[in-house]
Amino acid sequence: TAAAYGGAVFYYSTNCAELIERGATDADPNCWALFSESSFVNNTAGADGGAVYYESSTDSGLNFTVVAFERNRALGDPPEGVADMWYSLYRDRRPCLEPFGSQSGAWGLGGAVYAALQSYTEVFFNATSWSRNAARVAGGALHLCAHADSG
């Protein structure tokens, strides 16, 4: 359970390729986040991403292979100030909220997975199952938002 984001996993990537160039040894050489042969059951997030909250840079990817999501919830009711702090820092990266109201109170997205992708990030769901996940606002199982450059 998480007070705000990602009940089991909170993943935020800024610039994977640059980290590798600087000598990071704990990053995937292709900058992918891989979840394989995993189960996410009964996770809860106060804001978004009941099981997994993922925000990427332009050089990363997301892959779920043989993964089960069951009974995860994005409550949309984080403790006062907790979700506001993240929102105020990264609101320019969260246009996913705009259809639900531009105010920071539009939480409750992605009952199992909330994924905000930058430009050309790739996402794969292979042999992935979804059962009884719920979100207060949108994306009972998955809320996927792609932020593509418009210029």
Side-chain angles (χ1 to χ4, degrees), residues 27-110:
D28 175 72
N30 298 314
C31 299
W32 280 81
L34 172 64
F35 298 90
S36 178
E37 298 181 18
S38 306
S39 295
F40 294 91
V41 181
N42 289 328
N43 295 287
T44 302
D48 302 325
V52 176
Y53 181 94
Y54 175 88
E55 281 204 40
S56 72
S57 61
T58 57
D59 61 352
S60 63
L62 180 59
N63 185 331
F64 292 96
T65 299
V66 190
V67 177
F69 292 97
E70 185 176 343
R71 293 187 306 273
N72 299 289
R73 299 177 302 146
L75 300 178
D77 189 24
E80 187 175 335
V82 173
D84 278 330
M85 184 171 54
W86 180 252
Y87 181 84
S88 67
L89 291 171
Y90 296 99
R91 71 177 144 217
D92 59 321
R93 299 189 66 209
R94 295 197 56 170
C96 301
L97 296 176
E98 292 171 3
F100 309 108
S102 60
Q103 300 303 312
S104 61
W107 295 299
L109 305 173

Side-chain angles (χ1 to χ4, degrees), residues 15-25:
N15 191 331
C16 178
E18 183 178 331
L19 291 175
I20 291 170
E21 285 175 17
R22 291 182 178 194
T25 58

Side-chain angles (χ1 to χ4, degrees), residues 61 101 147:
H147 309 253

